């Protein structure tokens, strides 16, 4: 199941062209161990002409509308349901007003 989710996320990440002047900087590292089963996932968004209504956080293949803090330029998703599986894939997505997309994906482990 985990491999299926990873393959789906990878296929989505390859489709849109990337906007070079947008940076999505997740707060978690690839392969990071997280002890909280209901983590808060967040990323800093840097760039101009970003469509804040199109921010998404995609976790395990399900897209969520994150909270956006304009002052800190961060998007966050508070996981409400306790995560049961050990490995999870999260993608942070930003879209420019011209439609160009940038995504950053991380896999994390629940201990």
């Amino acid at each position: 199941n985990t491999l299926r989710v990873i393959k789906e996320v990878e296929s989505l990440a390859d489709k849109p062209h990337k906007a070079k002047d947008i940076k999505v900087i997740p707060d978690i590292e690839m392969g990071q161990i997280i002890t909280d089963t209901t983590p808060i996932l967040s990323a800093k968004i840097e760039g101009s002409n970003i469509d804040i209504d199109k921010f998404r956080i995609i976790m395990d293949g399900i897209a969520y509308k994150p909270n956006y803090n304009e002052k800190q330029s961060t998007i966050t998703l508070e996981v409400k349901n306790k995560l049961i599986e050990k490995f999870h894939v999260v993608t942070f997505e930003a879209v420019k007003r011209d439609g160009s997309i940038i995504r950053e994906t991380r896999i994390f482990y629940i201990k």
Side-chain angles (χ1 to χ4, degrees):
N1 192 32
T2 302
L3 289 174
R4 177 190 57 79
V5 171
I6 291 171
K7 287 178 183 177
E8 286 178 19
V9 170
E10 286 176 345
S11 70
L12 287 173
D14 291 338
K15 288 182 182 175
H17 62 285
K18 292 189 176 185
K20 295 186 190 307
D21 58 342
I22 296 176
K23 288 185 181 179
V24 177
I25 307 163
D27 287 344
I28 62 173
E29 297 295 324
M30 183 63 85
Q32 183 171 334
I33 297 172
I34 297 177
T35 57
D36 187 358
T37 58
T38 56
I40 296 175
L41 305 170
S42 63
K44 183 164 182 61
I45 308 296
E46 296 178 351
S48 59
N49 294 319
I50 301 169
D51 188 343
I52 62 173
D53 294 324
K54 293 188 179 177
F55 287 137
R56 296 192 316 165
I57 295 178
I58 305 162
M59 190 176 78
D60 298 334
I62 301 170
Y64 298 92
K65 175 94 174 123
N67 293 319
Y68 177 61
N69 182 320
E70 190 171 358
K71 187 175 181 180
Q72 295 180 344
S73 296
T74 58
I75 57 174
T76 59
L77 174 68
E78 183 177 349
V79 177
K80 301 206 185 284
N81 297 327
K82 191 175 182 178
L83 298 176
I84 305 298
E85 300 294 325
K86 297 296 181 189
F87 289 94
H88 299 275
V89 178
V90 62
T91 300
F92 302 89
E93 181 180 274
V95 179
K96 280 189 75 166
R97 287 192 175 89
D98 69 2
S100 45
I101 299 170
I102 185 92
R103 291 182 175 121
E104 285 294 327
T105 300
R106 300 292 188 265
I107 298 171
F108 64 94
Y109 174 77
I110 299 290
K111 185 173 185 181

